[in-house]
Amino acid sequence: MHLLINGNSRDFDHSSLTVEALVTLLGLQGKRLAIELNGDIVPRSAFQATALKAGDKLEIVGAVGGG
């Protein structure tokens, strides 16, 4: 499956992925993330149920603490 993640082309050896599975594949589980899929924010509660399709465009941003 071909995806565009943060402007970079990525290919995965999976015929189907969810946002949650992608987060795991990228090693980002447990991190505070905001994920935009084709221009729409995906709520964390929907990560497991949101299926990805070849050609989808994602922006993944991690929260950074500071003060």
Side-chain angles (χ1 to χ4, degrees), residues 10 12 20-31 33 60:
R10 297 281 307 262
F12 297 91
E20 182 176 70
L22 178 65
V23 167
T24 300
L25 283 172
L26 296 175
L28 300 173
Q29 65 273 24
K31 298 189 185 232
L33 302 171
I60 302 174

Side-chain angles (χ1 to χ4, degrees), residues 1-23:
M1 176 182 297
H2 179 78
L3 301 171
L4 188 64
I5 302 173
N6 294 349
N8 298 308
S9 294
R10 297 281 307 262
D11 290 304
F12 297 91
D13 293 331
H14 296 75
S15 59
S16 64
L17 282 174
T18 62
V19 170
E20 182 176 70
L22 178 65
V23 167

